[in-house]
Amino acid sequence: MSKLTIPVSSADHIQGDIDAPLTLLEYGDYECPYCGMAYNIVKHIQKHFGKRLRFVFRNFPLVESHPHAGIAAITAEFAATKNKFWEMHDVLYENQENLAIQDLLNYAKSLDLPSDELQLAIEKDMFNEKIKNDFMGGVRSGVNGTPTFFINGIRYNASFEYENLLEALTEAEKSI
Amino acid sequence: MGKILEPNIPAPDFNLHATPDQTLSLSELKGKPVILAFYPADWSPVCGDEMSLFNEILPEFRKYGAELLGISVDGVWCHTAFAEQRKLHFPLLSDFEPKGAIAKQYGAYREKEGCSERALFVIDKNGIIAWSYLSPVAENPGADGILNALEALPK
């Protein structure tokens, strides 16, 4: 049973109540179509659990398979520095087919972010360390592809269909 | 299901096709740690399947001077196409003829299905198995075990 080796901290992107008893953590890649499917499911899950659940997202870009995953991750991290991580996260997952640099710059503009700063961040490969730390932390925790979920620190191995995830989280809530 | 070879015994040598016109032996890699990753088949239909994942982590493996070898019963042309499509930067060995002979020596062959197990071996620079792990066949084992094993090798 694989466990999360890097605990959730203030360095993480956390959505929902920070003190929520339930934590769903995803290692994801913005260009991965399975993560795109999971994106909508997680939204429903968040609706169901409300304040009882916090959702954490960490980068796991598979850049050899997904040529835009790296720059998409940079874009989300850039938005985070302007307190718009989740807005950008959503835009990226809702536009997975279009993640070329020009698209990313346009998404920045649409969120009122300075696209020239983003362009520079992409050119200079900024946030490389943060993204790499997420990735290697994931590898050391047994992340084996995308998306990989952890429920309260334990790797969740079953299907991420809504019903399965709902059941697993409900069980986890009972055992708290 | 056989039992896979355990640590502290010499890893059986092999000489298998890595490309249509080249073969590779384990003994050629003496002096370096080797990660031998048996897997059931090319073309598993998920993002970040085991070989693609290991491909992403290759630079970390190389930090330990380690060579990664994937191995399955797929033919050499199948491997070539798979490696090209997934942009794999490490050799895939073809345990094709006689089918699964090397997998059998490592105790990592599934007779019923006619393919290898999902089994991992870390072999030290002297050719001795340092760590081995048999994963449920449907479960990509990830790389944490390999990295821990490489870290534990004597320098």
Side-chain angles (χ1 to χ4, degrees):
Chain A
M1 190 161 60
S2 288
K3 288 188 178 167
L4 194 65
T5 52
I6 300 180
V8 175
S9 78
S10 58
D12 277 303
H13 305 300
I14 303 171
Q15 200 170 39
D17 191 337
I18 198 147
D19 297 317
L22 270 177
T23 301
L24 177 65
L25 183 146
E26 176 184 354
Y27 279 94
D29 167 318
Y30 289 107
E31 201 173 356
C32 158
Y34 299 94
C35 298
M37 286 155 66
Y39 165 76
N40 290 306
I41 294 166
V42 168
K43 290 269 181 220
H44 285 116
I45 289 286
Q46 286 178 293
K47 213 168 189 179
H48 178 89
F49 288 96
K51 288 194 160 193
R52 284 144 40 223
L53 177 83
R54 60 176 184 171
F55 175 58
V56 181
F57 183 88
R58 289 181 180 168
N59 297 294
F60 204 80
L62 297 167
V63 294
E64 297 280 354
S65 321
H66 302 141
H68 304 108
I71 54 174
I74 292 173
T75 303
E77 290 301 328
F78 169 77
T81 63
K82 316 277 185 196
N83 290 320
K84 288 199 172 166
F85 175 80
W86 291 104
E87 288 90 332
M88 186 59 87
H89 173 91
D90 290 3
V91 169
L92 295 173
Y93 273 125
E94 283 160 24
N95 296 278
Q96 274 199 303
E97 306 291 317
N98 300 301
L99 299 175
I101 290 186
Q102 194 52 50
D103 301 313
L104 300 174
L105 297 177
N106 289 339
Y107 303 147
K109 280 182 209 151
S110 72
L111 293 175
D112 288 325
L113 297 172
S115 60
D116 52 334
E117 279 182 43
L118 172 60
Q119 186 157 16
L120 196 68
I122 291 173
E123 277 165 16
K124 300 222 182 257
D125 196 15
M126 284 162 73
F127 312 107
N128 176 29
E129 200 175 330
K130 151 89 175 145
I131 294 167
K132 190 135 198 261
N133 281 345
D134 274 5
F135 185 90
M136 281 317 296
V139 169
R140 300 312 289 247
S141 302
V143 169
N144 57 7
T146 52
T148 293
F149 288 99
F150 288 79
I151 294 177
N152 285 357
I154 308 289
R155 190 176 80 192
Y156 172 71
N157 294 320
S159 152
F160 60 79
E161 291 295 331
Y162 179 74
E163 290 73 24
N164 303 75
L165 212 45
L166 183 71
E167 192 186 326
L169 283 159
T170 308
E171 282 303 309
E173 195 172 27
K174 276 187 210 152
S175 65
I176 293 168
Chain B
M1 187 159 97
K3 214 166 171 242
I4 62 165
L5 294 185
E6 293 197 343
N8 303 318
I9 56 165
D13 197 12
F14 49 76
N15 182 265
L16 293 172
H17 272 277
T19 69
D21 48 12
Q22 276 181 313
T23 63
L24 186 68
S25 322
L26 180 62
S27 49
E28 285 171 47
L29 297 172
K30 260 205 177 143
K32 287 178 180 179
V34 172
I35 304 153
L36 192 57
F38 288 92
Y39 64 101
D42 292 341
W43 306 110
S44 55
V46 293
C47 287
D49 68 284
E50 189 182 350
M51 291 305 115
S52 303
L53 178 77
F54 290 176
N55 194 40
E56 303 274 351
I57 303 167
L58 206 51
E60 294 299 318
F61 296 153
R62 298 247 158 99
K63 280 187 192 163
Y64 298 91
E67 289 292 334
L68 169 64
L69 306 174
I71 175 167
S72 79
V73 299
D74 293 289
V76 64
W77 296 104
C78 182
H79 272 341
T80 305
F82 179 60
E84 221 171 81
Q85 201 257 353
R86 301 283 160 103
K87 304 188 192 78
L88 303 182
H89 305 299
F90 60 91
L92 298 178
L93 302 177
S94 191
D95 193 10
F96 180 72
E97 181 58 41
K99 189 178 170 204
I102 305 305
K104 283 174 196 162
Q105 286 188 46
Y106 280 79
Y109 192 67
R110 297 170 73 86
E111 292 285 348
K112 209 171 140 220
E113 292 85 355
C115 65
S116 7
E117 296 279 4
R118 229 176 253 288
L120 300 172
F121 296 86
V122 169
I123 299 163
D124 72 15
K125 59 180 193 254
N126 301 314
I128 309 295
I129 297 174
W131 175 81
S132 64
Y133 176 74
L134 177 64
S135 177
V137 79
E139 192 179 306
N140 172 351
D144 49 328
I146 295 174
L147 288 169
N148 291 338
L150 289 172
E151 224 162 62
L153 289 178
K155 294 284 177 275

